[in-house]
Amino acid sequence: MKPILFNFTDGELEQFVTDMGQPKFRAKQIREWLNRGAPNFSVMKNLPETLRRDLDARAVTLPVQIIKKLESRDGETTKFLLGMHDGEQIECVLMRTTYGNSVCVSSQAGCAMGCKFCASTLLGLKRNLTANEIFAQILVAQWELRIDKMTDRPVRPNGDPNNGDVSHIVIMGTGEPLQNTQNVIGFIERANRDMGIGWRRITVSTCGIVPGIRELIEWGRPINLAISLHAPTDELRDQIMPINHKYKLDEVLAAAWDFTAAHNRQLMIEYILLGKKNDAGDTVLYNATPEYAEKLADLLVGRNCMVNLIPWNAVDERDFASPSGNAVHRFQDILIQRGIHTRIRRERGTDIGSACGQLRLNNAKK
């Protein structure tokens, strides 16, 4: 197995280069390319061609390599299927928006949470990602944005705080971040330090690992927290989210409110709106009824939170259906009438299977 140069310390990289008979300054040049997200050695044009070929024979640049890249028709979303040294695969998504460039990263290869509506968990949990493997996903996206700047692809400058670079991070891809808390924290610290991405532009999403939320509170950085709630009662949540058998709604929300109080941050509540097919083949509402909207409002009224409603993105292996637009808007209206800040997530990249785990799952079927 070839060594991964990105994982080397500066001293180790210098030793590797001098063992090849090269001067020490080559290590600094290579490090600069690695920190830009160079996918291979051929792009390192300030290195001699013979050295680039020699490096290619001996090593790889990053701990992740692009297996497949899909572009949405509107050009705003790019989804990457990435392979790692041990053959495991993960996904990350680059979203170009009017407020900047956001990257959704994975924290695990696979997922053990078993949520009944999700594609990520269908293949089970393989392993945690290292902090370097999470960070490398950002570099893949950053390299893609570099290509944007070098071509005629329009770049969105309006409101972009990082001049066309990655400006926002969401740890909401494959896996449960708070089952891998230390590596996730290490990744966030590095993204803040090395890429200048502010704490308030970084969001961690969890399905409700209470000790992990408490660990984030103790860590003390004012990042954003998102709770994948998806049901306003323990009875319903037990049916679709096995984690609720261990951490009940009251316990999860109590930890979340403590987080918001500690950092004066608005809590994001993620709520996937699900339908079901009845015997006649018609779609009936599952967790998206007006009654459940009222129950959700009862949980959240008067709290510092925002509800992000997510119409379900179809997964063939799951027995759910997308609710109608009318049902989605009716659910939102009830929450707004109760004074709860609510938005419907804009669907991005539906033509490229943007839901977590879909690309990895489809690739595994082949």
Side-chain angles (χ1 to χ4, degrees), residues 82-250:
L82 305 173
M84 295 179 290
H85 66 92
D86 58 356
E88 295 298 337
Q89 297 178 358
I90 57 173
E91 301 172 15
C92 71
V93 182
L94 166 63
M95 294 161 283
R96 304 167 181 85
T97 74
T98 54
Y99 61 79
N101 296 302
S102 180
V103 182
C104 180
V105 300
S106 296
S107 56
Q108 296 179 308
C111 183
M113 293 297 96
C115 297
K116 303 303 182 184
F117 47 80
C118 184
S120 296
T121 194
L122 285 167
L123 299 177
L125 174 65
K126 303 302 182 182
R127 64 173 176 86
N128 286 334
L129 301 187
T130 66
N132 277 354
E133 287 169 335
I134 305 172
F135 191 80
Q137 296 171 62
I138 300 295
L139 295 182
V140 167
Q142 185 71 17
W143 189 264
E144 188 71 14
L145 291 169
R146 182 174 181 268
I147 294 172
D148 285 357
K149 294 176 185 178
M150 295 171 61
T151 63
D152 294 332
R153 182 172 193 156
V155 177
R156 293 173 171 265
N158 295 335
D160 185 340
N162 280 37
N163 192 31
D165 294 334
V166 172
S167 58
H168 294 71
I169 296 171
V170 183
I171 309 171
M172 200 180 287
T174 302
E176 166 51 59
L178 298 188
Q179 279 197 320
N180 189 21
T181 310
Q182 285 307 305
N183 283 323
V184 166
I185 286 175
F187 155 68
I188 294 173
E189 294 273 15
R190 184 170 183 177
N192 175 261
R193 181 187 67 242
D194 294 355
M195 300 188 75
I197 299 176
W199 304 118
R200 296 180 184 272
R201 296 193 182 115
I202 300 173
T203 301
V204 172
S205 175
T206 177
C207 66
I209 308 293
V210 171
I213 299 172
R214 298 288 178 196
E215 194 170 348
L216 291 182
I217 295 172
E218 220 171 292
W219 177 46
R221 306 303 191 271
I223 61 172
N224 301 299
L225 179 67
I227 300 293
S228 294
L229 205 68
H230 308 315
T233 68
D234 282 323
E235 181 183 13
L236 180 63
R237 204 166 189 259
D238 282 346
Q239 295 174 30
I240 60 175
M241 299 182 71
I243 191 63
N244 202 68
H245 295 290
K246 186 169 186 179
Y247 304 113
K248 295 298 185 184
L249 268 174
D250 286 350

Side-chain angles (χ1 to χ4, degrees), residues 13-30:
L13 183 58
E14 189 174 283
Q15 185 66 52
F16 183 83
V17 167
T18 55
D19 285 349
M20 293 175 64
Q22 296 292 323
K24 290 182 179 180
F25 74 85
R26 294 295 185 200
K28 183 179 179 181
Q29 290 177 312
I30 293 169

Side-chain angles (χ1 to χ4, degrees), residues 8 55 72 96 194 225 254 305:
F8 283 11
L55 285 167
S72 63
R96 304 167 181 85
D194 294 355
L225 179 67
C305 66

